[in-house]
PDB file of all heavy atoms in Angstrom:
ATOM      1  N   MET A  25      -0.985 -21.441 110.201  1.00 77.00           N
ATOM      2  CA  MET A  25      -1.399 -21.119 108.753  1.00 77.00           C
ATOM      3  C   MET A  25      -1.313 -22.521 107.967  1.00 77.00           C
ATOM      4  O   MET A  25      -2.346 -22.834 107.291  1.00 77.00           O
ATOM      5  CB  MET A  25      -0.453 -20.086 108.145  1.00 77.00           C
ATOM      6  CG  MET A  25      -0.992 -19.590 106.812  1.00 77.00           C
ATOM      7  SD  MET A  25      -2.650 -19.047 106.814  1.00 77.00           S
ATOM      8  CE  MET A  25      -2.606 -17.545 107.873  1.00 77.00           C
ATOM      9  N   THR A  43     -20.172 -30.692  93.922  1.00 86.00           N
ATOM     10  CA  THR A  43     -20.925 -30.041  92.900  1.00 86.00           C
ATOM     11  C   THR A  43     -20.924 -30.845  91.566  1.00 86.00           C
ATOM     12  O   THR A  43     -21.861 -30.866  90.787  1.00 86.00           O
ATOM     13  CB  THR A  43     -20.454 -28.665  92.506  1.00 86.00           C
ATOM     14  OG1 THR A  43     -19.006 -28.824  92.240  1.00 86.00           O
ATOM     15  CG2 THR A  43     -20.488 -27.733  93.706  1.00 86.00           C
ATOM     16  N   LYS A  46     -23.791 -34.989  91.316  1.00 82.00           N
ATOM     17  CA  LYS A  46     -25.094 -34.462  91.739  1.00 82.00           C
ATOM     18  C   LYS A  46     -25.549 -35.008  93.043  1.00 82.00           C
ATOM     19  O   LYS A  46     -25.571 -36.180  93.260  1.00 82.00           O
ATOM     20  CB  LYS A  46     -26.158 -34.694  90.634  1.00 82.00           C
ATOM     21  CG  LYS A  46     -26.501 -33.573  89.851  1.00 82.00           C
ATOM     22  CD  LYS A  46     -27.672 -33.978  88.912  1.00 82.00           C
ATOM     23  CE  LYS A  46     -28.433 -32.847  88.333  1.00 82.00           C
ATOM     24  NZ  LYS A  46     -29.418 -33.354  87.409  1.00 82.00           N
ATOM     25  N   SER A 192     -28.068 -23.825 112.879  1.00 89.00           N
ATOM     26  CA  SER A 192     -29.094 -24.115 111.938  1.00 89.00           C
ATOM     27  C   SER A 192     -29.306 -25.628 111.742  1.00 89.00           C
ATOM     28  O   SER A 192     -30.356 -26.139 111.645  1.00 89.00           O
ATOM     29  CB  SER A 192     -28.738 -23.487 110.490  1.00 89.00           C
ATOM     30  OG  SER A 192     -28.679 -22.153 110.728  1.00 89.00           O
ATOM     31  N   ARG A 198     -35.619 -28.642 107.805  1.00 89.00           N
ATOM     32  CA  ARG A 198     -36.048 -28.097 106.453  1.00 89.00           C
ATOM     33  C   ARG A 198     -36.594 -29.223 105.604  1.00 89.00           C
ATOM     34  O   ARG A 198     -35.923 -30.197 105.499  1.00 89.00           O
ATOM     35  CB  ARG A 198     -34.808 -27.482 105.768  1.00 89.00           C
ATOM     36  CG  ARG A 198     -35.103 -26.634 104.564  1.00 89.00           C
ATOM     37  CD  ARG A 198     -33.726 -25.918 104.178  1.00 89.00           C
ATOM     38  NE  ARG A 198     -33.794 -25.545 102.867  1.00 89.00           N
ATOM     39  CZ  ARG A 198     -32.778 -24.981 102.231  1.00 89.00           C
ATOM     40  NH1 ARG A 198     -31.618 -24.759 102.814  1.00 89.00           N
ATOM     41  NH2 ARG A 198     -32.835 -24.699 100.951  1.00 89.00           N
ATOM     42  N   SER A 240     -47.866 -15.003  78.244  1.00 75.00           N
ATOM     43  CA  SER A 240     -48.391 -15.470  77.094  1.00 75.00           C
ATOM     44  C   SER A 240     -47.406 -16.513  76.389  1.00 75.00           C
ATOM     45  O   SER A 240     -47.758 -17.238  75.451  1.00 75.00           O
ATOM     46  CB  SER A 240     -48.706 -14.448  76.096  1.00 75.00           C
ATOM     47  OG  SER A 240     -47.594 -13.661  75.867  1.00 75.00           O
ATOM     48  N   SER A 245     -45.923 -17.072  85.566  1.00 85.00           N
ATOM     49  CA  SER A 245     -45.502 -15.771  86.027  1.00 85.00           C
ATOM     50  C   SER A 245     -45.619 -15.718  87.582  1.00 85.00           C
ATOM     51  O   SER A 245     -44.938 -15.034  88.225  1.00 85.00           O
ATOM     52  CB  SER A 245     -46.276 -14.671  85.454  1.00 85.00           C
ATOM     53  OG  SER A 245     -47.585 -14.699  85.814  1.00 85.00           O
ATOM     54  N   ASN A 268     -40.783 -16.044  96.843  1.00 85.00           N
ATOM     55  CA  ASN A 268     -40.031 -14.850  97.283  1.00 85.00           C
ATOM     56  C   ASN A 268     -40.760 -14.137  98.399  1.00 85.00           C
ATOM     57  O   ASN A 268     -40.452 -13.002  98.826  1.00 85.00           O
ATOM     58  CB  ASN A 268     -39.753 -13.807  96.239  1.00 85.00           C
ATOM     59  CG  ASN A 268     -38.392 -14.129  95.494  1.00 85.00           C
ATOM     60  OD1 ASN A 268     -37.428 -14.348  96.114  1.00 85.00           O
ATOM     61  ND2 ASN A 268     -38.466 -14.144  94.095  1.00 85.00           N
ATOM     62  N   TYR A 279     -42.540 -21.680 102.684  1.00 91.00           N
ATOM     63  CA  TYR A 279     -42.238 -21.124 101.309  1.00 91.00           C
ATOM     64  C   TYR A 279     -42.927 -21.828 100.222  1.00 91.00           C
ATOM     65  O   TYR A 279     -43.290 -23.063 100.257  1.00 91.00           O
ATOM     66  CB  TYR A 279     -40.756 -21.390 101.049  1.00 91.00           C
ATOM     67  CG  TYR A 279     -39.813 -20.760 101.983  1.00 91.00           C
ATOM     68  CD1 TYR A 279     -39.360 -21.453 103.130  1.00 91.00           C
ATOM     69  CD2 TYR A 279     -39.192 -19.575 101.678  1.00 91.00           C
ATOM     70  CE1 TYR A 279     -38.522 -20.899 103.990  1.00 91.00           C
ATOM     71  CE2 TYR A 279     -38.334 -18.892 102.638  1.00 91.00           C
ATOM     72  CZ  TYR A 279     -37.946 -19.586 103.758  1.00 91.00           C
ATOM     73  OH  TYR A 279     -36.983 -19.092 104.544  1.00 91.00           O
ATOM     74  N   LYS A 343     -40.863 -16.321  66.868  1.00 71.00           N
ATOM     75  CA  LYS A 343     -41.551 -17.286  67.713  1.00 71.00           C
ATOM     76  C   LYS A 343     -43.079 -17.162  67.483  1.00 71.00           C
ATOM     77  O   LYS A 343     -43.654 -16.134  67.374  1.00 71.00           O
ATOM     78  CB  LYS A 343     -41.260 -17.238  69.152  1.00 71.00           C
ATOM     79  CG  LYS A 343     -39.830 -17.600  69.403  1.00 71.00           C
ATOM     80  CD  LYS A 343     -39.384 -17.605  70.826  1.00 71.00           C
ATOM     81  CE  LYS A 343     -38.064 -18.063  70.939  1.00 71.00           C
ATOM     82  NZ  LYS A 343     -37.095 -16.846  71.073  1.00 71.00           N
ATOM     83  N   GLN A 488     -42.191 -25.600 101.210  1.00 90.00           N
ATOM     84  CA  GLN A 488     -40.954 -25.900 101.938  1.00 90.00           C
ATOM     85  C   GLN A 488     -41.129 -25.216 103.345  1.00 90.00           C
ATOM     86  O   GLN A 488     -41.495 -24.133 103.360  1.00 90.00           O
ATOM     87  CB  GLN A 488     -39.807 -25.486 101.114  1.00 90.00           C
ATOM     88  CG  GLN A 488     -38.532 -25.975 101.725  1.00 90.00           C
ATOM     89  CD  GLN A 488     -37.422 -25.818 100.923  1.00 90.00           C
ATOM     90  OE1 GLN A 488     -36.819 -24.626 100.914  1.00 90.00           O
ATOM     91  NE2 GLN A 488     -36.885 -26.909 100.280  1.00 90.00           N
ATOM     92  N   TYR A 514      -9.961  -0.753 103.331  1.00 86.00           N
ATOM     93  CA  TYR A 514     -10.147   0.586 103.034  1.00 86.00           C
ATOM     94  C   TYR A 514      -9.649   1.541 104.036  1.00 86.00           C
ATOM     95  O   TYR A 514      -9.618   2.780 103.810  1.00 86.00           O
ATOM     96  CB  TYR A 514     -11.592   0.896 102.613  1.00 86.00           C
ATOM     97  CG  TYR A 514     -12.009  -0.071 101.531  1.00 86.00           C
ATOM     98  CD1 TYR A 514     -13.262  -0.789 101.549  1.00 86.00           C
ATOM     99  CD2 TYR A 514     -11.217  -0.236 100.342  1.00 86.00           C
ATOM    100  CE1 TYR A 514     -13.679  -1.611 100.561  1.00 86.00           C
ATOM    101  CE2 TYR A 514     -11.662  -1.073  99.383  1.00 86.00           C
ATOM    102  CZ  TYR A 514     -12.878  -1.770  99.477  1.00 86.00           C
ATOM    103  OH  TYR A 514     -13.244  -2.636  98.508  1.00 86.00           O
ATOM    104  N   ARG A 541      -1.060   1.633 103.669  1.00 76.00           N
ATOM    105  CA  ARG A 541      -1.704   1.361 102.371  1.00 76.00           C
ATOM    106  C   ARG A 541      -2.000   2.476 101.656  1.00 76.00           C
ATOM    107  O   ARG A 541      -2.091   3.549 102.188  1.00 76.00           O
ATOM    108  CB  ARG A 541      -2.771   0.344 102.495  1.00 76.00           C
ATOM    109  CG  ARG A 541      -3.965   0.896 103.203  1.00 76.00           C
ATOM    110  CD  ARG A 541      -5.113  -0.126 103.208  1.00 76.00           C
ATOM    111  NE  ARG A 541      -4.736  -1.131 104.112  1.00 76.00           N
ATOM    112  CZ  ARG A 541      -4.696  -2.381 103.863  1.00 76.00           C
ATOM    113  NH1 ARG A 541      -5.069  -2.854 102.572  1.00 76.00           N
ATOM    114  NH2 ARG A 541      -4.379  -3.343 104.770  1.00 76.00           N
ATOM    115  N   ASP A 552      -2.485  17.939 101.586  1.00 82.00           N
ATOM    116  CA  ASP A 552      -3.620  18.652 102.255  1.00 82.00           C
ATOM    117  C   ASP A 552      -3.198  19.083 103.627  1.00 82.00           C
ATOM    118  O   ASP A 552      -3.486  20.231 104.018  1.00 82.00           O
ATOM    119  CB  ASP A 552      -4.805  18.005 102.261  1.00 82.00           C
ATOM    120  CG  ASP A 552      -5.532  17.784 100.967  1.00 82.00           C
ATOM    121  OD1 ASP A 552      -5.053  18.241  99.971  1.00 82.00           O
ATOM    122  OD2 ASP A 552      -6.554  17.045 100.797  1.00 82.00           O
TER     123      ASP A 552
ATOM    124  N   ARG B  83     -11.685  19.460 102.310  1.00 66.00           N
ATOM    125  CA  ARG B  83     -11.828  18.049 102.255  1.00 66.00           C
ATOM    126  C   ARG B  83     -13.199  17.784 101.677  1.00 66.00           C
ATOM    127  O   ARG B  83     -13.335  16.731 100.992  1.00 66.00           O
ATOM    128  CB  ARG B  83     -11.653  17.464 103.627  1.00 66.00           C
ATOM    129  CG  ARG B  83     -10.418  17.571 104.337  1.00 66.00           C
ATOM    130  CD  ARG B  83      -9.289  16.851 103.666  1.00 66.00           C
ATOM    131  NE  ARG B  83      -9.503  15.363 103.883  1.00 66.00           N
ATOM    132  CZ  ARG B  83      -8.680  14.506 103.115  1.00 66.00           C
ATOM    133  NH1 ARG B  83      -7.716  14.941 102.450  1.00 66.00           N
ATOM    134  NH2 ARG B  83      -8.972  13.285 103.229  1.00 66.00           N
ATOM    135  N   ARG B  86     -13.075  17.964  98.084  1.00 78.00           N
ATOM    136  CA  ARG B  86     -12.389  16.810  97.483  1.00 78.00           C
ATOM    137  C   ARG B  86     -13.396  15.574  97.319  1.00 78.00           C
ATOM    138  O   ARG B  86     -13.383  14.897  96.410  1.00 78.00           O
ATOM    139  CB  ARG B  86     -11.216  16.377  98.394  1.00 78.00           C
ATOM    140  CG  ARG B  86     -10.500  15.384  97.747  1.00 78.00           C
ATOM    141  CD  ARG B  86      -8.915  15.656  97.832  1.00 78.00           C
ATOM    142  NE  ARG B  86      -8.486  16.873  97.138  1.00 78.00           N
ATOM    143  CZ  ARG B  86      -7.710  17.769  97.496  1.00 78.00           C
ATOM    144  NH1 ARG B  86      -7.145  17.582  98.687  1.00 78.00           N
ATOM    145  NH2 ARG B  86      -7.298  18.698  96.765  1.00 78.00           N
ATOM    146  N   GLU B 121     -42.421 -11.725  69.906  1.00 79.00           N
ATOM    147  CA  GLU B 121     -41.964 -12.871  69.162  1.00 79.00           C
ATOM    148  C   GLU B 121     -40.739 -12.591  68.275  1.00 79.00           C
ATOM    149  O   GLU B 121     -39.871 -13.319  68.095  1.00 79.00           O
ATOM    150  CB  GLU B 121     -43.114 -13.325  68.235  1.00 79.00           C
ATOM    151  CG  GLU B 121     -44.198 -14.054  68.935  1.00 79.00           C
ATOM    152  CD  GLU B 121     -45.102 -13.154  69.900  1.00 79.00           C
ATOM    153  OE1 GLU B 121     -45.075 -12.025  69.628  1.00 79.00           O
ATOM    154  OE2 GLU B 121     -45.691 -13.665  70.825  1.00 79.00           O
ATOM    155  N   MET B 187     -45.143  -7.246  75.441  1.00 80.00           N
ATOM    156  CA  MET B 187     -46.199  -7.950  76.144  1.00 80.00           C
ATOM    157  C   MET B 187     -46.993  -6.971  77.044  1.00 80.00           C
ATOM    158  O   MET B 187     -47.194  -7.449  78.273  1.00 80.00           O
ATOM    159  CB  MET B 187     -45.762  -9.228  76.866  1.00 80.00           C
ATOM    160  CG  MET B 187     -45.201 -10.223  75.828  1.00 80.00           C
ATOM    161  SD  MET B 187     -45.551 -11.980  76.271  1.00 80.00           S
ATOM    162  CE  MET B 187     -44.692 -12.292  77.667  1.00 80.00           C
ATOM    163  N   ASP B 251     -32.690 -12.747  73.514  1.00 87.00           N
ATOM    164  CA  ASP B 251     -34.058 -12.276  73.609  1.00 87.00           C
ATOM    165  C   ASP B 251     -34.430 -11.910  75.050  1.00 87.00           C
ATOM    166  O   ASP B 251     -33.875 -12.517  75.998  1.00 87.00           O
ATOM    167  CB  ASP B 251     -35.051 -13.372  73.123  1.00 87.00           C
ATOM    168  CG  ASP B 251     -35.040 -13.492  71.600  1.00 87.00           C
ATOM    169  OD1 ASP B 251     -34.430 -12.653  71.045  1.00 87.00           O
ATOM    170  OD2 ASP B 251     -35.807 -14.395  71.133  1.00 87.00           O
ATOM    171  N   ALA B 258     -38.936 -17.190  90.715  1.00 83.00           N
ATOM    172  CA  ALA B 258     -37.967 -17.113  91.726  1.00 83.00           C
ATOM    173  C   ALA B 258     -37.074 -15.852  91.560  1.00 83.00           C
ATOM    174  O   ALA B 258     -36.497 -15.361  92.482  1.00 83.00           O
ATOM    175  CB  ALA B 258     -36.937 -18.352  91.639  1.00 83.00           C
ATOM    176  N   TYR B 318      -3.156  -6.584  93.538  1.00 92.00           N
ATOM    177  CA  TYR B 318      -3.729  -6.686  94.912  1.00 92.00           C
ATOM    178  C   TYR B 318      -4.943  -5.617  94.940  1.00 92.00           C
ATOM    179  O   TYR B 318      -6.022  -5.900  95.573  1.00 92.00           O
ATOM    180  CB  TYR B 318      -2.653  -6.282  95.907  1.00 92.00           C
ATOM    181  CG  TYR B 318      -3.235  -5.803  97.195  1.00 92.00           C
ATOM    182  CD1 TYR B 318      -3.948  -6.725  98.048  1.00 92.00           C
ATOM    183  CD2 TYR B 318      -3.278  -4.437  97.606  1.00 92.00           C
ATOM    184  CE1 TYR B 318      -4.537  -6.315  99.134  1.00 92.00           C
ATOM    185  CE2 TYR B 318      -3.905  -4.129  98.660  1.00 92.00           C
ATOM    186  CZ  TYR B 318      -4.462  -4.987  99.504  1.00 92.00           C
ATOM    187  OH  TYR B 318      -5.174  -4.648 100.667  1.00 92.00           O
ATOM    188  N   ALA B 322      -8.655  -6.235  96.181  1.00 92.00           N
ATOM    189  CA  ALA B 322      -9.183  -5.498  97.274  1.00 92.00           C
ATOM    190  C   ALA B 322     -10.530  -4.802  96.930  1.00 92.00           C
ATOM    191  O   ALA B 322     -11.311  -4.535  97.906  1.00 92.00           O
ATOM    192  CB  ALA B 322      -8.189  -4.429  97.762  1.00 92.00           C
ATOM    193  N   TRP B 338     -31.167 -13.347 100.033  1.00 92.00           N
ATOM    194  CA  TRP B 338     -32.255 -13.632  99.073  1.00 92.00           C
ATOM    195  C   TRP B 338     -32.713 -15.199  99.157  1.00 92.00           C
ATOM    196  O   TRP B 338     -33.895 -15.452  99.133  1.00 92.00           O
ATOM    197  CB  TRP B 338     -31.834 -13.335  97.665  1.00 92.00           C
ATOM    198  CG  TRP B 338     -32.762 -13.362  96.637  1.00 92.00           C
ATOM    199  CD1 TRP B 338     -34.091 -13.598  96.749  1.00 92.00           C
ATOM    200  CD2 TRP B 338     -32.570 -13.212  95.208  1.00 92.00           C
ATOM    201  NE1 TRP B 338     -34.761 -13.669  95.521  1.00 92.00           N
ATOM    202  CE2 TRP B 338     -33.756 -13.457  94.545  1.00 92.00           C
ATOM    203  CE3 TRP B 338     -31.454 -13.010  94.380  1.00 92.00           C
ATOM    204  CZ2 TRP B 338     -33.920 -13.367  93.257  1.00 92.00           C
ATOM    205  CZ3 TRP B 338     -31.493 -12.952  93.132  1.00 92.00           C
ATOM    206  CH2 TRP B 338     -32.735 -13.063  92.436  1.00 92.00           C
ATOM    207  N   ALA B 340     -32.702 -17.045 101.759  1.00 90.00           N
ATOM    208  CA  ALA B 340     -33.430 -17.233 102.880  1.00 90.00           C
ATOM    209  C   ALA B 340     -34.916 -16.834 102.712  1.00 90.00           C
ATOM    210  O   ALA B 340     -35.867 -17.209 103.398  1.00 90.00           O
ATOM    211  CB  ALA B 340     -32.862 -16.498 104.063  1.00 90.00           C
ATOM    212  N   TRP B 343     -35.769 -19.620  98.926  1.00 82.00           N
ATOM    213  CA  TRP B 343     -35.519 -21.115  98.845  1.00 82.00           C
ATOM    214  C   TRP B 343     -35.607 -21.768 100.122  1.00 82.00           C
ATOM    215  O   TRP B 343     -35.344 -23.041 100.193  1.00 82.00           O
ATOM    216  CB  TRP B 343     -34.196 -21.319  98.206  1.00 82.00           C
ATOM    217  CG  TRP B 343     -33.991 -20.771  96.889  1.00 82.00           C
ATOM    218  CD1 TRP B 343     -35.030 -20.617  95.958  1.00 82.00           C
ATOM    219  CD2 TRP B 343     -32.684 -20.528  96.096  1.00 82.00           C
ATOM    220  NE1 TRP B 343     -34.372 -20.287  94.745  1.00 82.00           N
ATOM    221  CE2 TRP B 343     -33.101 -20.240  94.863  1.00 82.00           C
ATOM    222  CE3 TRP B 343     -31.402 -20.694  96.630  1.00 82.00           C
ATOM    223  CZ2 TRP B 343     -32.172 -19.931  93.846  1.00 82.00           C
ATOM    224  CZ3 TRP B 343     -30.429 -20.298  95.634  1.00 82.00           C
ATOM    225  CH2 TRP B 343     -30.786 -19.964  94.325  1.00 82.00           C
ATOM    226  N   TYR B 346     -30.591 -19.998 103.991  1.00 90.00           N
ATOM    227  CA  TYR B 346     -29.552 -19.082 103.374  1.00 90.00           C
ATOM    228  C   TYR B 346     -28.474 -19.866 102.658  1.00 90.00           C
ATOM    229  O   TYR B 346     -27.754 -19.281 101.902  1.00 90.00           O
ATOM    230  CB  TYR B 346     -29.055 -18.204 104.440  1.00 90.00           C
ATOM    231  CG  TYR B 346     -28.527 -19.037 105.746  1.00 90.00           C
ATOM    232  CD1 TYR B 346     -27.270 -19.537 105.784  1.00 90.00           C
ATOM    233  CD2 TYR B 346     -29.236 -19.234 106.822  1.00 90.00           C
ATOM    234  CE1 TYR B 346     -26.795 -20.290 106.723  1.00 90.00           C
ATOM    235  CE2 TYR B 346     -28.821 -19.908 107.887  1.00 90.00           C
ATOM    236  CZ  TYR B 346     -27.557 -20.464 107.905  1.00 90.00           C
ATOM    237  OH  TYR B 346     -27.101 -21.237 108.989  1.00 90.00           O
ATOM    238  N   TRP B 355     -19.514 -23.138  94.513  1.00 92.00           N
ATOM    239  CA  TRP B 355     -18.363 -22.514  93.756  1.00 92.00           C
ATOM    240  C   TRP B 355     -18.019 -21.206  94.147  1.00 92.00           C
ATOM    241  O   TRP B 355     -16.950 -20.620  94.098  1.00 92.00           O
ATOM    242  CB  TRP B 355     -18.623 -22.676  92.190  1.00 92.00           C
ATOM    243  CG  TRP B 355     -18.170 -23.993  91.664  1.00 92.00           C
ATOM    244  CD1 TRP B 355     -19.035 -25.119  91.524  1.00 92.00           C
ATOM    245  CD2 TRP B 355     -16.876 -24.322  91.387  1.00 92.00           C
ATOM    246  NE1 TRP B 355     -18.271 -26.090  91.136  1.00 92.00           N
ATOM    247  CE2 TRP B 355     -17.004 -25.745  90.986  1.00 92.00           C
ATOM    248  CE3 TRP B 355     -15.570 -23.693  91.252  1.00 92.00           C
ATOM    249  CZ2 TRP B 355     -15.887 -26.424  90.518  1.00 92.00           C
ATOM    250  CZ3 TRP B 355     -14.554 -24.415  90.873  1.00 92.00           C
ATOM    251  CH2 TRP B 355     -14.649 -25.722  90.542  1.00 92.00           C
ATOM    252  N   SER B 403     -26.139 -28.454  87.120  1.00 69.00           N
ATOM    253  CA  SER B 403     -27.502 -27.834  87.328  1.00 69.00           C
ATOM    254  C   SER B 403     -27.759 -27.750  88.855  1.00 69.00           C
ATOM    255  O   SER B 403     -27.101 -28.303  89.622  1.00 69.00           O
ATOM    256  CB  SER B 403     -28.518 -28.891  86.723  1.00 69.00           C
ATOM    257  OG  SER B 403     -28.471 -30.154  87.452  1.00 69.00           O
TER     258      SER B 403
END
Side-chain angles (χ1 to χ4, degrees):
Chain A
M25 192 52 70
T43 58
K46 250 185 167 183
S192 299
R198 192 166 157 188
S240 58
S245 65
N268 273 315
Y279 299 87
K343 291 185 183 96
Q488 189 165 82
Y514 305 130
R541 66 178 69 236
D552 285 357
Chain B
R83 298 291 298 172
R86 187 134 294 139
E121 287 73 21
M187 298 215 298
D251 281 356
Y318 163 69
W338 186 6
W343 292 339
Y346 53 84
W355 274 94
S403 63

